[in-house]
């Protein structure tokens, strides 16, 4: 069996949990391979991607700030990556470089396993944020048949652009929402919460936070205290990583290893 060369590229990259997850998965599956983190400056992105292809890498994950720019170096994009306008997974093949977005499927898988039996189909969802993660979640919810999608963002123009892109509802209020998803970076490494309108949120609404450090964010703690069901960011992190495995190896991923490494 040939050794699988894998990597994550970003700038900065030291904070990334991807090496821990993928190294644990390679080990659990007894697959020969290595997964390394490369700090790649924006002006070196093309050289880095072409370099990995030339060096025989099987695949790579792509993180901030390269998820949009890396599309330039892909020969093909899958449907999710094209819709979202961002790539978080590359596969180097004999016929070129393929770009994927596993945040879309990773979010839906984490929601499905976090709240078994609950589906966003026909429901109203309020997304906080309008960056790359918000775009992935918005298109995921659109694809899953969400009835109404609203976006609230610090920069109103970006919210309006994303609402228009997904055919969302610019007037969706917290009291309409069956699902609240934090896709801002607020709460990452802090005690801040991106949401305070708890009296207005529909009772029974599901609350998700993409932020995964800390695992129990201030948003999730406040939601739980008010009786909302919650889904934290580590599940999505594990599921999107497992989906990249499926793309690279074309086989079922060792999901338990990804989940254990994420929560470890
Ligand atoms: N769990 C997972 O698997 C997973 C996957 C992807 C991302 N994430 C997490 O999701 C978060 C967002 O990632 P991203 O890639 O979308 O980042 P991004 O493209 O940089 O977008 C950041 C978003 O957060 C908002 N924001 C930042 N600081 C804010 C503040 N102080 N107050 C209010 N809003 C603020 C920004 O609003 P403006 O538009 O006004 O700047 C923007 O909407 C990060 O914490 C990331 O780690 C988790």
């Amino acid at each position: 069996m040939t050794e699988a060369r894998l990597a994550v590229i970003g700038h900065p990259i030291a904070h990334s949990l991807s090496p821990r997850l993928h190294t644990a998965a390679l080990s659990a599956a007894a697959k020969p391979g290595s997964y390394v983190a490369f700090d790649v400056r924006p002006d070196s992105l093309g050289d880095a991607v072409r370099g990995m292809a030339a060096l025989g890498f099987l695949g790579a994950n792509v993180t901030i700030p390269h998820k949009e720019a890396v599309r330039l170096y892909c020969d093909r994009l899958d449907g999710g990556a094209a819709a979202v306008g961002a790539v978080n997974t590359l596969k180097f093949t004999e016929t070129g470089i393929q770009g994927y977005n596993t945040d879309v499927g990773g979010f839906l898988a984490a929601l499905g396993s976090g709240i078994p039996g609950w589906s966003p189909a026909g429901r109203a969802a309020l997304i906080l944020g309008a960056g790359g993660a918000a775009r992935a979640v918005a298109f995921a919810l659109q694809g899953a048949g969400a009835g109404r999608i609203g976006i609230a963002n610090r920069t109103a123009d970006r919210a309006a652009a994303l609402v228009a892109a997904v055919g969302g509802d610019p007037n969706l209020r917290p009291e309409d929402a069956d699902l609240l998803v934090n896709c801002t970076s607020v709460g990452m490494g802090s005690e801040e919460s991106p949401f305070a309108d708890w009296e207005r949120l529909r009772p029974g609404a599901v609350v998700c936070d993409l932020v995964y450090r800390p695992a129990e964010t201030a948003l999730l703690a406040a939601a739980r205290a008010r009786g909302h069901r919650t889904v934290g960011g580590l599940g999505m992190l594990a599921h999107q990583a497992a989906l990249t495995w499926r793309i690279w190896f074309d086989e079922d991923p060792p999901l338990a290893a990804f989940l254990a490494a994420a929560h470890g």
Side-chain angles (χ1 to χ4, degrees):
M1 201 187 286
T2 54
E3 185 171 309
R5 284 181 208 139
L6 301 165
V8 58
I9 57 173
H11 181 71
I13 197 61
H15 66 282
S16 175
L17 292 181
S18 293
R20 182 167 104 194
L21 269 64
H22 284 282
T23 301
L26 288 167
S27 168
K31 212 176 249 309
S34 60
Y35 188 106
V36 290
F38 292 126
D39 192 328
V40 175
R41 291 192 322 271
D43 59 0
S44 300
L45 181 60
D47 288 344
V49 171
R50 285 187 288 262
M52 288 190 292
L55 290 166
F57 274 67
L58 171 61
N61 289 127
V62 182
T63 189
I64 292 171
H66 302 314
K67 288 186 184 184
E68 292 170 19
V70 80
R71 291 175 299 166
L72 273 177
Y73 308 104
C74 294
D75 298 298
R76 287 178 299 283
L77 297 182
D78 88 325
V84 173
V87 163
N88 77 340
T89 302
L90 299 174
K91 184 170 183 178
F92 302 99
T93 73
E94 285 179 5
T95 56
I97 301 172
Q98 296 173 193
Y100 301 83
N101 190 312
T102 65
D103 283 338
V104 176
F107 170 72
L108 293 176
L111 186 58
S113 61
I115 316 273
W118 194 90
S119 162
R123 314 252 197 183
L126 180 59
I127 295 172
L128 308 178
R135 286 188 71 83
V137 167
F139 281 99
L141 289 170
Q142 182 203 52
R148 297 165 73 192
I149 299 172
I151 312 284
N153 190 50
R154 177 178 61 179
T155 307
D157 288 357
R158 294 185 83 194
L162 183 49
V163 163
V166 294
D169 180 348
N171 300 315
L172 191 88
R173 303 160 307 163
E175 43 270 60
D176 304 320
D178 303 299
L179 174 66
L180 177 78
V181 190
N182 175 38
C183 300
T184 75
S185 45
V186 177
M188 197 72 167
S190 84
E191 290 287 305
E192 288 176 85
S193 173
F195 184 77
D197 271 351
W198 292 107
E199 307 70 38
R200 295 180 59 198
L201 188 64
R202 182 178 275 193
V206 169
V207 177
C208 295
D209 201 340
L210 265 58
V211 168
Y212 52 80
R213 198 182 275 143
E216 172 87 344
T217 58
L219 176 79
L220 294 182
R224 225 190 297 276
R226 285 164 177 82
H228 295 282
R229 289 171 292 174
T230 61
V231 180
L234 286 172
M236 176 174 167
L237 192 73
H239 281 283
Q240 64 79 23
L243 289 172
T244 68
W245 174 290
R246 191 181 289 286
I247 288 165
W248 292 331
F249 296 112
D250 216 8
E251 61 185 49
D252 287 343
L255 182 58
F258 279 110
L259 286 165
H263 287 92

